[in-house]
Amino acid sequence: MSDQKIKELEEEIEELSIQLSDMLCVALLLSGAREDSIQQALDAYIDNLDEESLEYGVNEILDNLQKLKTTHPNLFKHKS
């Protein structure tokens, strides 16, 4: 593989990583994360990921968001 092709793939991976991070922030906000705590919520979500899980789909993401709301309630808006 050429150096140019490797560089293109690395740039594509970086762009996809940024898009994935942005989408996760949107999911956190829609789940009730406070805007002023979004970076903390993102870090906590990533820290709580199950590295042993082979499958990672919609249900796993929803489960992880729910677990995060339970383990880090201070990062989320309180229901009134």
Side-chain angles (χ1 to χ4, degrees):
M1 191 175 295
S2 72
D3 287 344
Q4 179 63 29
K5 184 64 175 171
I6 291 172
K7 184 176 181 187
E8 288 173 9
L9 290 173
E10 287 173 344
E11 289 173 0
E12 186 174 338
I13 289 170
E14 184 176 344
E15 289 174 15
L16 290 171
S17 294
I18 292 168
Q19 290 177 8
L20 181 59
S21 177
D22 288 346
M23 294 200 57
L24 182 52
C25 287
V26 169
L28 287 164
L29 289 169
L30 290 174
S31 294
R34 295 189 344 254
E35 286 190 45
D36 63 341
S37 298
I38 196 65
Q39 186 60 51
Q40 288 175 289
L42 181 60
D43 293 342
Y45 180 91
I46 292 169
D47 288 344
N48 287 339
L49 290 178
D50 182 5
E51 294 180 14
E52 298 175 10
S53 177
L54 296 175
E55 291 187 32
Y56 195 71
V58 173
N59 290 331
E60 290 79 11
I61 294 168
L62 291 171
D63 288 345
N64 286 333
L65 288 170
Q66 190 58 46
K67 185 180 357 176
L68 185 64
K69 289 173 80 170
T70 302
T71 59
H72 295 80
N74 58 311
L75 301 176
F76 293 83
K77 299 172 188 169
H78 298 289
K79 293 182 179 177
S80 22

